[in-house]
Amino acid sequence: STCEWGMAVSERRGNHCPEECGMISIVVAMDANQLIGANHKMPWHCPADLAHFRQLTLHHHLLMGRVTYEHLPKRLDHRILHVAGHKPLSDSDVLPCSDVQALCREWKKKEEVLYVCGGAQIFAAAIAYADELWITRIEQSYTGDTWFPAFCIGDFRLLSNEQKEGCSIMHYRRR
């Protein structure tokens, strides 16, 4: 398979699981260089991407790292948040996660989607378990300090590519 965006993940899953099993879905916005952040924030403001993220994740479970959670510009309402990290959280409205890979393995036994929302370390831990990717490609290039981890895009097939103002939203499913 073609690995145009980086090296293949070291742990491979078999064929895509049936629709009724738990699905791991990565949701990420990035520029052409796979940049995802600058100083703990997205370096762009793209209303089309934000609307897509809200519509996709509303009333679902989301997994993110503690730093990503602590730097959210506002509370993500009507979603169940799993926050990964080793430090205890003061927010009783979130579910702590001490092992991202263990959560992903356990999620495969559920009948729900888990949306993985960042940051880079969480994406790196979850990419081997991802059944689908929602990648918003931001049109301009930016400067920053955080990139999406290397992975093999050839492990996924493109299902849709929707042009929006300032970005394109691509939906991939694991082959």
Side-chain angles (χ1 to χ4, degrees):
S1 60
T2 306
C3 297
E4 62 190 64
W5 285 355
M7 300 174 1
V9 292
S10 59
E11 183 175 345
R12 304 247 177 190
R13 292 190 60 240
N15 293 333
H16 175 69
C17 63
E19 290 301 318
E20 68 272 6
C21 77
M23 183 180 293
I24 307 296
S25 181
I26 288 181
V27 184
V28 62
M30 63 176 73
D31 75 359
N33 299 312
Q34 288 183 237
L35 181 77
I36 60 172
N39 198 24
H40 306 297
K41 294 183 174 114
M42 290 188 294
W44 49 77
H45 179 72
C46 183
D49 174 56
L50 297 174
H52 164 74
F53 178 84
R54 180 174 172 76
Q55 180 271 328
L56 185 67
T57 63
L58 204 59
H59 305 292
H60 288 285
H61 289 260
L62 276 63
L63 170 63
M64 65 187 67
R66 181 188 53 80
V67 174
T68 299
Y69 172 73
E70 289 175 348
H71 288 88
L72 289 173
K74 67 178 188 173
R75 204 164 206 35
L76 297 177
D77 58 343
H78 306 290
R79 286 162 269 205
I80 301 165
L81 303 182
H82 301 259
V83 178
H86 300 293
K87 292 182 181 177
L89 295 164
S90 58
D91 190 342
S92 61
D93 291 338
V94 302
L95 301 169
C97 170
S98 60
D99 186 336
V100 170
Q101 292 176 334
L103 178 65
C104 289
R105 283 191 301 272
E106 283 300 308
W107 206 267
K108 295 295 187 179
K109 301 172 188 170
K110 298 180 181 279
E111 294 185 10
E112 300 175 80
V113 177
L114 176 65
Y115 289 98
V116 180
C117 306
Q121 291 179 347
I122 305 306
F123 288 137
I127 191 75
Y129 301 93
D131 298 295
E132 67 177 5
L133 309 173
W134 287 94
I135 298 175
T136 299
R137 190 64 82 163
I138 303 299
E139 288 177 356
Q140 295 179 318
S141 292
Y142 291 81
T143 58
D145 52 24
T146 310
W147 288 265
F148 193 80
F151 73 105
C152 185
I153 195 64
D155 290 346
F156 297 86
R157 72 181 187 282
L158 181 64
L159 300 180
S160 65
N161 185 354
E162 187 177 357
Q163 290 298 129
K164 299 279 190 176
E165 187 174 339
C167 67
S168 60
I169 299 171
M170 297 170 284
H171 182 201
Y172 292 88
R173 188 69 52 86
R174 188 172 290 277
R175 292 185 188 274

